[in-house]
Amino acid sequence: MDPAARQLVLSEAELEEIAPRSQRVGPSTLARMKKRIRCSGSIAKSLLLKFIPILGWIPRYPVREWLLGDIVAGLSVGIIQLPQGLAYALLAGVPPVYGLYSSFFPVLLYAIFGTSRHISPGTFAVISVMVGSVTESLVPSELYTLPGNETLINITARDNDRVAVASALTFLVGLFQIMLGLVQVGFVVTYLSEPLIRGYTSAAAIHVTVSQMKSVLGVQISQRSHPLSLIYAIVNLCAKLPETNIASLLIGGIAITVLFVVKFLNDKYSSKIRMPIPIELITLIVATGISYGANLNQVYGVDIVGEIPTGMKAPMVPNASIFASVVGNAFAIAVVVYAFTISLAKMFAVKHGYNVDSNQELIALGLSNSIGSFFQCFTIGTAMSRSLVQESTGGHSQVASAVSSLVILIIILRAGELFQTLPKAILAAVVVVNLKGIYKQFTDVPMLWRSNKIDLLVWVVTFLATILLNLDIGLAVSVAFSLLTVIFRTQKPHYSILGKVDNTDIYRDVAQFDQVTEIQGIKIFRSSCTLYFANANLYAESVKRMCGAEVDKLIELKKKAIKKQKQLQEKAEKQRKKENKRKEKELDSIVSNSPAAKEPEIQIAPGYEALEDAGLDYFGSEKCTFHSLILDLSTAGFLDTVSIKVLKNIFRDFQEIDVQVYLTGCQASIIEQLDVGNFFSKSITKNLLFNSVHDAVMYISRTHSRQDMKDSDTCLNTKI
């Protein structure tokens, strides 16, 4: 052990002994060294607990209060996760057993690294269909037809290649999530607004439903990931309707009906039953038994799950040669997975009074997906239905997720082969019924129509883009459109002139409130959003228009008056010179010895003295009706170079017409940006900045009261 490491355990005497003579120190320095060592140890411990949260909460786990609830919740979720794992694997385009793997390894990893106590990680319909769009696009069934018979497909080879694509995709998804978490950019999900997410998931539900119709109808169609792929899939389904397998259609229809009815009863009587009826598991068991007894596959041609191997597969490194083909999809899926997860995690955290670390959630999801990819898992997310079941059945921590993963482990090791005769129509029914909550989101349309039409537009555009352009391109278009609406709204903000509520320091829009009145001689202008290059010119125009002063016209009048003043001055100067020359000639022609000869007075051009005595009264009846303008910048979050230049122009123009401009509500960062942008000068000083509108109003009122008194005294003295 080197000396640096031994310092963690050595005594003071040993520390002093091993230190070189040139570095030996006194007791005070030695104490500081020990304190530094202790601080380093506490920092390392806090980082470890932050990175592996389970080490922080598992020693304090209240066994008596929480364990029974977590076990019940874990069993309930595990029972639900079994049919969903099998069903969502078909959505992802891989054999059903890989849905079981994805319900075990990543879930166990999230329990170790996650910070949410109530979400249920695992397979999720929307994420599975996004994965499936990639696997079926890169590995289409048409490439695996057997020689001499194009109707037969080498399913084993196709499925192996699809599993390889799904694993590579999942590894990159996890890698992106880890990178985003490590660089602390969990805020990236803020660009996915709630209307965008709900519109996107509603469109994804349509994709999922259409993809499952082939299993319900018992037909084979090819699906691709490209624009209008959903339309082509619907057309192909309609073309295949004459080939519908009646037995599959009956099985799927009956299963959907039974699942809907029982789930409705579960929701209605949820307060009276401890555990919901595990209708999905019951349906799987009953359907498997009927299929096995009636030999539905051989007699009626019903498509079944097929071989489900028991036991675990050895881990494999994802195929790196596939990365380049799926990198774009991987980033989109990584963001969508995180968006769903963090929204649910925060919802439960607020409800139960604890905090979740958004960046640690990214890392937890990234580790779950990247490590899971070595075990041929496809990308996992968080399902609201399972999370709600986990919470409602008494789940208090991720111990419930660990219990549910153990249930899946038992199925993988011992009971998986029992479901080999399960009809795929049953799994399709499970998928479709579990989309019920997402289909309810279509009620957002009338609600948004009444409350916010811009959000409705985001919802509709997201929905249509995802339907028409597919899931990955649709997401990119939706985010771009959502950001454009933000830019549009900042370009068209609400501008207002403020007035004061009597006997208060409250200032409100005079156009919206009858109880407020404008302060005489003072205009107060406010914008509803920050000032930046896209709306800076509109801001300046609105200030001039809403203040009621034709600033440009007054400036032009002043320029004309100054020009006229200069012309009169030049004319008077010429007249003086002319009179002086005439006087000199007269003096030369008069022979007089009188030294007291007086020069005749020079007459100055009429109007010049009057204009000069008028001071700055250049405007006549057009003079501005106010003497002070207050710009309230309390809504500004930042200022760029364009907005600073526009503010300087506003100061310059209004000072030209004898109106002083003041800034209020500037944050420290805004003042710093003004300083760096060379905003302040001799004519624009920091004395013109005030903390609030009321402070500025009080200062202006006092200043002009004193000025009015001085003017009154001056007039009185003049008359005397």
Side-chain angles (χ1 to χ4, degrees), residues 22-92:
S22 59
Q23 297 180 3
R24 289 186 183 177
V25 293
S28 60
T29 308
L30 205 61
R32 287 197 298 272
M33 290 172 60
K34 289 180 65 180
K35 184 177 180 181
R36 193 180 301 117
I37 292 169
R38 285 196 298 270
C39 290
S40 300
S42 62
I43 292 172
K45 181 180 178 181
S46 64
L47 288 175
L48 183 64
L49 294 178
K50 179 181 174 65
F51 183 68
I52 311 178
I54 194 172
L55 298 179
W57 60 264
I58 202 66
R60 304 191 303 271
Y61 182 79
V63 177
R64 292 184 179 180
E65 292 84 359
W66 286 9
L67 184 59
L68 180 60
D70 281 337
I71 292 175
V72 172
L75 291 174
S76 303
V77 172
I79 290 170
I80 296 172
Q81 209 160 24
L82 168 61
Q84 288 186 358
L86 295 172
Y88 295 159
L90 297 181
L91 274 181

Side-chain angles (χ1 to χ4, degrees), residues 185-203:
V185 290
F187 65 86
V188 69
V189 75
T190 57
Y191 295 107
L192 303 180
S193 64
E194 184 177 356
L196 186 150
I197 292 175
R198 293 174 74 87
Y200 183 79
T201 52
S202 300

Side-chain angles (χ1 to χ4, degrees), residues 555-566:
I555 293 174
E556 186 65 26
L557 284 174
K558 182 176 180 179
K559 288 180 178 178
K560 288 181 178 179
I562 292 174
K563 183 178 180 181
K564 184 177 180 181
Q565 180 185 19
K566 187 176 180 181

Side-chain angles (χ1 to χ4, degrees), residues 220-292:
Q220 295 292 330
I221 62 170
S222 60
Q223 289 183 267
R224 300 292 182 88
S225 176
H226 56 74
L228 300 179
S229 60
L230 181 66
I231 308 301
Y232 288 125
I234 294 173
V235 171
N236 290 337
L237 273 176
C238 294
K240 293 280 186 177
L241 283 178
E243 303 174 16
T244 299
N245 186 303
I246 302 300
S248 290
L249 181 60
L250 287 174
I251 292 169
I254 293 171
I256 289 173
T257 303
V258 171
L259 288 169
F260 263 123
V261 170
V262 177
K263 280 181 173 288
F264 171 78
L265 295 175
N266 279 338
D267 293 339
K268 186 174 182 180
Y269 299 104
S270 59
S271 60
K272 298 181 180 180
I273 54 177
R274 172 69 175 175
M275 287 179 59
I277 300 171
I279 186 59
E280 293 170 330
L281 181 61
I282 294 172
T283 304
L284 258 64
I285 294 172
V286 172
T288 302
I290 294 174
S291 176
Y292 178 78

Side-chain angles (χ1 to χ4, degrees), residues 361-412:
E361 285 296 300
L362 268 172
I363 294 173
L365 289 169
L367 290 171
S368 300
N369 283 313
S370 58
I371 296 175
S373 68
F374 288 87
F375 296 92
Q376 291 83 54
C377 300
F378 58 87
T379 309
I380 61 113
T382 303
M384 177 176 283
S385 59
R386 288 198 311 270
S387 299
L388 291 173
V389 168
Q390 179 167 312
E391 184 214 21
S392 62
T393 53
H396 297 285
S397 70
Q398 284 301 321
V399 170
S401 295
V403 172
S404 70
S405 65
L406 291 178
V407 173
I408 299 299
L409 177 63
I410 294 171
I411 302 298
I412 292 172

